[in-house]
Amino acid sequence: MAGLRTAADNRELRGADADPEVSRPPRGDALTRLGLIGVPSSAGAHGPGQEKAPIALREAGLLGALRETGLEVEDLGDLPPARFEPDARNRKQQSLAQVVAVAERVAAAVEAARQRGLVPLVLGGDCTITLGVVAGLLRGQADLGLIYFDGDADLTTPDTTHSGIFDSMGVAHLIGDGAAELSRIGPRYPLLPEDRIALFGFHPYEIEPKEQKRLEASAMLRYPVTAMDDRAVELATEARARLEQRVAAFAVHFDVDVMDSAEIPLADWPHYDALSFGEAMRCLRVFTGSPKLAALVVTEINPDHDPAGLWIRQFVDAFSEALRPVAAPVA
């Protein structure tokens, strides 16, 4: 974890002006039913590996672990696999057609799950699948927000990228920047107003100067890891409450690179000076405990980093426990 906060960190921590104190409605007595959707895709990634995550999580006992917490989980299966391939002909927009195709399939699967009254639990896969999740949710829920729980702000665009990898461009496309084929996949443009997004856990050193200017001018709520010290759970509670005040429902995007790779090296792209494993799971528990939870996306697990499956099993146990409030009725 980084050390003392700077004045810039404190300004960035708040993002827009502070919201008024809000009440938090109870979830009610009914258990939330999850619909598990696997997205075995590394189409938008830096390399192959993430397409193996859904099956690795299943083999590590995710379904059983979730059900042991009291959750009702319906396994909706996996979408067709999409493996990373380098695209030297399109260096600034690598594999765009494949990324768009995956996102469109995700949108259709999420829409179908919601029509059945399920809360989609979407297992990726690289971060671009969240574009599909948001597009699918918007077909039935216009007043939508997003907690982007990620080690990166993902504001790169084809104009600012060095790699051309869409994995680092997710938020940019959610707010209408970048490639039109991807930013316009949903029922509206942009997919999300900026003040309906909370960035939580990103590290400023990952942001390029042009992206930093874009972020500073944005109405997105901003919670960089460098400003958290030992207050991560407190700030997660604040971020959730502020977003609840603004939207009728929200999705949670959970990229495992928000956790310290020196402690749990599952992320496709390692991050350090990040949240601890325990801190991240406690924050996730806060986010998913909201009565306004519409979907949860898990991204960036690369099973090739864990050939014995030890860290994935550890992740499954902690992740399932973090979701316990989704099942437990609130008194």
Side-chain angles (χ1 to χ4, degrees):
M1 182 69 65
L4 296 175
R5 287 175 285 169
T6 66
D9 282 335
N10 282 316
R11 288 194 299 272
E12 190 167 34
L13 184 63
R14 293 290 175 174
D17 292 338
D19 295 310
E21 189 69 24
V22 296
S23 61
R24 299 168 197 161
R27 182 180 297 280
D29 293 332
L31 297 183
T32 296
R33 295 169 58 226
L34 297 180
L36 192 152
I37 301 168
V39 188
S41 175
S42 55
H46 294 82
Q50 292 180 71
E51 74 281 357
K52 303 173 187 177
I55 191 170
L57 288 165
R58 294 173 191 278
E59 291 178 347
L62 178 61
L63 271 167
L66 289 170
R67 288 168 176 159
E68 284 180 5
T69 68
L71 280 160
E72 295 182 19
V73 187
E74 184 171 345
D75 190 350
L76 303 178
D78 289 353
L79 299 180
R83 189 175 185 273
F84 165 85
E85 293 182 4
D87 189 355
R89 295 170 301 175
N90 300 290
R91 294 297 298 272
K92 297 292 187 177
Q93 301 185 75
Q94 292 207 44
S95 302
L96 174 59
Q98 190 178 25
V99 170
V100 171
V102 171
E104 288 176 341
R105 290 196 291 266
V106 171
V110 165
E111 180 186 21
R114 290 295 285 171
Q115 287 176 344
R116 295 181 51 201
L118 302 173
V119 173
L121 170 56
V122 183
L123 307 178
D126 65 80
C127 287
T128 60
I129 68 172
T130 293
L131 290 157
V133 172
V134 170
L137 291 174
L138 285 173
R139 294 173 185 175
Q141 176 66 63
D143 189 4
L144 183 70
L146 176 68
I147 294 179
Y148 204 77
F149 188 28
D150 196 303
D152 301 290
D154 288 344
L155 285 166
T156 307
T157 70
D159 290 331
T160 63
T161 183
H162 299 293
S163 66
I165 296 301
F166 280 96
D167 201 26
S168 64
M169 305 185 198
V171 173
H173 285 84
L174 286 169
I175 62 177
D177 296 340
E181 297 93 327
L182 196 53
S183 62
R184 294 182 180 272
I185 65 168
R188 71 182 184 204
Y189 173 84
L191 287 166
L192 290 176
E194 295 184 29
D195 66 350
R196 302 300 195 267
I197 299 173
L199 303 179
F200 195 94
F202 68 96
H203 203 301
Y205 72 34
E206 299 283 352
I207 301 176
E208 298 286 348
K210 289 183 179 179
E211 296 154 25
Q212 181 61 39
K213 290 181 180 178
R214 180 71 176 88
L215 185 59
E216 289 172 355
S218 173
M220 288 185 283
L221 303 177
R222 304 186 293 276
Y223 290 83
V225 69
T226 48
M228 291 184 183
D229 296 330
D230 59 352
R231 301 173 58 230
V233 175
E234 174 189 342
L235 294 169
T237 303
E238 177 186 294
R240 169 186 147 178
R242 294 177 73 190
L243 200 61
E244 284 175 337
Q245 191 269 340
R246 299 180 180 199
V247 300
F250 64 80
V252 176
H253 161 102
F254 175 37
D255 182 337
V256 299
D257 74 11
V258 80
M259 300 184 292
D260 187 355
S261 293
E263 183 180 359
I264 184 160
L266 289 178
D268 188 62
W269 193 266
H271 280 61
Y272 305 96
D273 289 333
L275 293 175
S276 72
F277 183 29
E279 286 174 319
M281 290 301 169
R282 288 190 288 275
C283 290
L284 183 66
R285 186 182 182 94
V286 169
F287 297 146
T288 59
S290 173
K292 295 190 174 185
L293 179 69
L296 171 60
V297 191
V298 180
T299 70
E300 295 291 321
I301 290 175
N302 189 334
D304 288 345
H305 296 178
D306 185 23
L310 299 177
W311 290 309
I312 290 178
R313 286 193 288 274
Q314 183 181 2
F315 175 85
V316 161
D317 290 343
F319 176 80
S320 301
E321 184 59 33
L323 264 61
R324 187 177 291 276
V326 179
V330 179

